[in-house]
């Protein structure tokens, strides 16, 4: 009898323990995945967003997401990219649509990036839709997560501009450049 109730107590405590660990793990953002993992599991390069992600939510139901960065900032890719503090969009396999909060500098003008797509099956390229323009970029540069810089320091000295790698051959294809 005594042994039996001890056993029951033990399994009761054990199930309490598992229940509480389950409760804790479901609290963390999107089942403990990082936004990097959500991107890579969607066939997208994980470095599309910088390392300063403070918080995010992701709905696996419709793919919609909200990312909050520490603050608005810049990363120098082949083109300079500006991130708003808050970025929203919808992730599907191989694409982000309804994107809001990312801009690309092109010929001295900032253009909103509405959509980002990769080829399926994957190629070496990634496509940023800037309104009517489909900008073809080398996907490799988005594979690693970059640190994000404040405006002025990253606007780039002339040295930074000279360091930018020569653009890959941009073959015009309809409006793809
Ligand atoms: C970004 O979202 C956070 C959390 O919802 C909010 O506190 C902040 O004001 C937003 N920032 C901007 C620039 O809208």
């Amino acid at each position: 009898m005594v042994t039996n109730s001890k056993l029951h107590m033990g399994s009761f405590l054990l199930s309490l323990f598992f229940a509480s660990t389950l409760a804790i793990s479901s609290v963390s953002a999107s089942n403990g995945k990082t936004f990097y993992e959500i991107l890579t599991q969607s066939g997208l390069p994980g470095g599309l967003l910088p390392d300063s992600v403070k918080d995010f939510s992701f709905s696996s139901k419709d793919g919609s997401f909200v990312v909050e960065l520490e603050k608005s900032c810049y990363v120098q890719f082949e083109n300079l990219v500006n991130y708003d503090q808050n970025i929203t969009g919808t992730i599907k396999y191989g694409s982000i649509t309804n994107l809001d909060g990312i801009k690309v500098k092109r010929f001295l003008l900032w253009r909103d990036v509405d959509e980002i797509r990769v080829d399926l099956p994957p190629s070496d390229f990634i496509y940023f839709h800037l309104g009517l323009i489909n900008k073809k970029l080398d996907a490799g540069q988005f594979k690693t997560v970059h640190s994000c810089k404040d405006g002025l320091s990253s606007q780039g000295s002339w040295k930074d501009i000279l360091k930018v790698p020569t653009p890959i051959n941009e073959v015009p294809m309809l409006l793809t450049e």
Side-chain angles (χ1 to χ4, degrees):
M1 236 8 213
V2 173
T3 346
N4 215 346
S5 73
K6 262 190 185 160
L7 254 174
H8 276 119
M9 192 60 183
S11 57
F12 173 70
L13 285 176
L14 205 65
S15 54
L16 247 186
F17 172 75
F18 279 116
S20 61
T21 48
L22 275 180
I24 288 164
S25 62
S26 65
V27 165
S28 65
S30 297
N31 296 322
K33 276 187 203 161
T34 61
F35 201 70
Y36 177 90
E37 288 168 316
I38 288 171
L39 288 171
T40 53
Q41 282 165 15
S42 308
L44 295 161
L48 278 175
L49 288 188
D51 65 352
S52 55
V53 174
K54 189 169 143 196
D55 197 10
F56 74 91
S57 64
F58 173 70
S59 159
S60 49
K61 226 162 96 195
D62 62 3
S64 63
F65 69 87
V66 179
V67 169
E68 188 187 346
L69 302 181
E70 305 282 347
K71 57 188 166 187
S72 171
C73 59
Y74 298 81
V75 176
Q76 180 69 66
F77 292 104
E78 191 179 316
N79 289 61
L80 187 61
V81 173
N82 170 236
Y83 297 92
D84 285 349
Q85 184 185 14
N86 297 327
I87 298 157
T88 57
T90 304
I91 294 182
K92 302 232 166 66
Y93 197 83
S95 73
I96 303 177
T97 53
N98 302 320
L99 185 59
D100 190 35
I102 301 183
K103 292 185 197 67
V104 161
K105 199 171 188 182
R106 177 178 169 273
F107 302 135
L108 303 176
L109 293 175
W110 287 103
R111 302 293 202 109
D112 284 317
V113 183
D114 315 314
E115 278 183 38
I116 295 176
R117 288 181 183 280
V118 293
D119 287 320
L120 295 174
S123 71
D124 292 340
F125 300 104
I126 186 162
Y127 306 88
F128 280 26
H129 292 215
L130 319 168
L132 290 173
I133 296 152
N134 190 18
K135 174 98 184 138
K136 185 179 182 181
L137 296 160
D138 180 3
Q141 63 190 318
F142 297 99
K143 291 220 164 99
T144 55
V145 178
H146 293 248
S147 63
C148 209
K149 298 185 178 135
D150 284 356
L152 291 175
S153 58
S154 77
Q155 289 290 358
S157 58
W158 283 104
K159 247 199 224 153
D160 285 340
I161 291 166
L162 291 174
K163 262 193 293 187
V164 174
T166 9
I168 48 149
N169 266 345
E170 295 185 73
V171 184
M173 229 174 69
L174 292 176
L175 287 168
T176 300
E177 64 166 23

